[in-house]
């Protein structure tokens, strides 16, 4: 006797058909309804619930992002208003600032020359080292001038130096 090999899935399908054929019409109806309920519950749990959660989350994010957009627009308007109302500072005369800082320190400059690009070249023949540090601090704080080049040479008198420096406003 020859037997034919049938895959297990095909065998199960034939068994299920046979079982289904043995059921009465009312049992089949109840089975179809039960299957439809199971499919509906699975669709609700696997499709509808995640979609509803994502929709709620996206609606909350939309409200937050709209509020952020309103804030950003308001800040942009404030920035634009500040830019329109920004008054350019009056041009300062760096030379007069340096001369007044020197006068306050009691220091006499040998020469103050205007260099290129708003720089000043200042030469001090004799100044105490402590007064030089105070002068540089005052120039940076009050006149907004910084030393970009400074050469100090010791003098014969103790604590005294000869200074050549280049001052420049910040860029």
């Amino acid at each position: 006797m020859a037997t034919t090999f049938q895959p297990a899935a095909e065998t199960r399908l034939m068994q299920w058909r046979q079982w289904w054929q043995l059921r009465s019409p009312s049992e089949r109806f109840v089975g179809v309804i039960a299957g439809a309920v199971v499919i509906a519950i699975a669709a609700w749990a696997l499709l509808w619930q995640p979609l509803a959660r994502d929709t709620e989350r996206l609606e909350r994010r939309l409200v937050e992002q709209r509020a952020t957009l309103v804030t950003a627009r308001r800040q942009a308007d404030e920035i634009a208003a500040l830019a329109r109302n920004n008054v350019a500072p009056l041009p300062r005369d760096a030379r007069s600032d340096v001369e007044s800082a020197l006068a306050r320190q009691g220091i006499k400059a040998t020469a103050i020359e205007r260099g290129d690009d708003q720089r000043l070249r200042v030469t001090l023949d004799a100044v105490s080292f402590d007064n030089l540090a105070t002068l540089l601090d005052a120039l940076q704080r009050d006149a907004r001038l910084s030393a970009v080049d400074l050469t100090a040479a010791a003098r014969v008198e103790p604590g005294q130096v000869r200074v050549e420096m280049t001052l420049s406003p910040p860029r």
Side-chain angles (χ1 to χ4, degrees), residues 9-64:
E10 192 175 313
T11 305
R12 276 190 238 121
L13 182 61
M14 288 175 54
Q15 288 173 349
W16 185 82
R17 284 185 186 159
Q18 186 179 21
W19 177 83
W20 186 253
Q21 294 296 327
L22 293 174
R23 303 295 127 209
S24 67
S26 61
E27 287 177 330
R28 286 184 195 170
F29 179 73
V30 170
V32 168
I33 296 298
V37 168
V38 167
I39 289 173
I41 290 172
W44 179 79
L46 297 175
L47 297 175
W48 186 256
Q49 280 297 87
L51 287 174
R53 279 194 310 268
D54 287 347
T55 302
E56 290 173 11
R57 181 180 53 82
L58 290 174
E59 286 174 350
R60 285 192 307 270
R61 284 187 62 200
L62 180 63
V63 168
E64 292 169 2

